[in-house]
Amino acid sequence: LKCALIRDNDWIRRDNKYENSATIHQQISTMYYFLVHCTIFMQTKEKILQKALELFNTYNYSSISVRDIARSLKMSPGNLSYHFAKKEDILTALLEDLKTNNSKYYQDYKLQKSTKENFLRLMENIFHSQFSYRGVLIAKSFLLQTREKTRDLDYDQHIKTRKRYLKAILSELNESREI
């Protein structure tokens, strides 16, 4: 921002070199343009995901089309396809969000003392998350059927990791005589 206060033709010192301030102005303008458009892009992508989740939960995955999602957002299908090429890509992104949310709950639990109360809070958070993404979880089987092994979502490994976490948590609770 200090660079913006310098006149266009001034020479300023930066990284042991003298540069024309017009170059700096151009760089700042480019960064600002990128940040604004990146923010708008992410907001649009999040709106699409939120609306798709709502529609998948209310109706079901197979009865909702990309056009339905676009129509409910008052957006053209072409604009939506700029963000997600096909409906399966939306589903994959939502599954990644669910995975991220649940991983955060497990990480938060690990930072706390291993007690019944904290374990029950963890399970409550996970069940709430699962319920919030119920349409996506039901549709997951469709995704796994339509793609050979999904590269983006390695569910076998994910399930093994979750089982290992739960086994360790239950062992800790048992050792501490919480259960």
Side-chain angles (χ1 to χ4, degrees):
L1 292 176
K2 289 182 181 178
C3 294
L5 300 175
I6 299 171
R7 291 187 313 263
D8 279 344
N9 293 323
D10 289 345
W11 288 84
I12 59 172
R13 187 178 173 107
R14 185 174 134 187
D15 298 329
N16 294 324
K17 293 186 251 176
Y18 285 96
E19 293 186 35
N20 187 301
S21 62
T23 305
I24 305 284
H25 283 282
Q26 182 61 35
Q27 291 171 352
I28 291 171
S29 295
T30 302
M31 289 188 311
Y32 178 75
Y33 176 84
F34 174 76
L35 287 172
V36 167
H37 284 81
C38 185
T39 302
I40 291 169
F41 177 81
M42 292 309 291
Q43 288 173 345
T44 302
K45 205 168 186 177
E46 285 302 313
K47 285 179 186 176
I48 293 168
L49 291 173
Q50 288 173 358
K51 183 53 78 173
L53 179 61
E54 177 187 320
L55 293 171
F56 294 161
N57 284 342
T58 304
Y59 305 101
N60 66 47
Y61 177 79
S62 59
S63 65
I64 298 296
S65 69
V66 171
R67 288 183 181 277
D68 295 329
I69 298 168
R71 191 177 309 118
S72 68
L73 289 167
K74 296 178 175 62
M75 163 188 300
S76 74
N79 189 8
L80 192 145
S81 70
Y82 173 78
H83 298 279
F84 297 99
K86 50 192 188 290
K87 188 168 75 165
E88 289 81 10
D89 295 339
I90 296 172
L91 181 60
T92 301
L94 287 168
L95 284 166
E96 275 299 317
D97 286 351
L98 174 63
K99 181 178 160 184
T100 301
N101 289 344
N102 286 343
S103 293
K104 182 186 175 305
Y105 295 138
Y106 279 104
Q107 289 169 357
D108 290 348
Y109 176 82
K110 283 296 192 186
L111 296 175
Q112 302 170 9
K113 186 178 179 199
S114 192
T115 65
K116 278 188 290 198
E117 292 78 17
N118 289 338
F119 176 71
L120 291 174
R121 191 173 308 112
L122 167 67
M123 290 295 104
E124 180 181 10
N125 287 336
I126 288 174
F127 289 140
H128 177 74
S129 183
Q130 304 295 81
F131 181 75
S132 298
Y133 284 79
R134 63 193 175 277
V136 172
L137 290 170
I138 293 167
K140 178 178 73 171
S141 61
F142 172 81
L143 182 66
L144 295 175
Q145 289 169 4
T146 58
R147 294 185 178 185
E148 293 175 13
K149 279 291 184 183
T150 57
R151 287 174 277 125
D152 302 336
L153 302 166
D154 186 1
Y155 279 105
D156 293 336
Q157 183 60 39
H158 183 67
I159 289 168
K160 287 177 186 175
T161 302
R162 290 291 184 242
K163 284 181 179 179
R164 198 172 59 247
Y165 281 161
L166 282 173
K167 188 175 181 180
I169 290 169
L170 292 172
S171 292
E172 287 174 7
L173 289 169
N174 192 29
E175 287 173 12
S176 66
R177 301 195 190 274
E178 286 284 329
I179 58 171

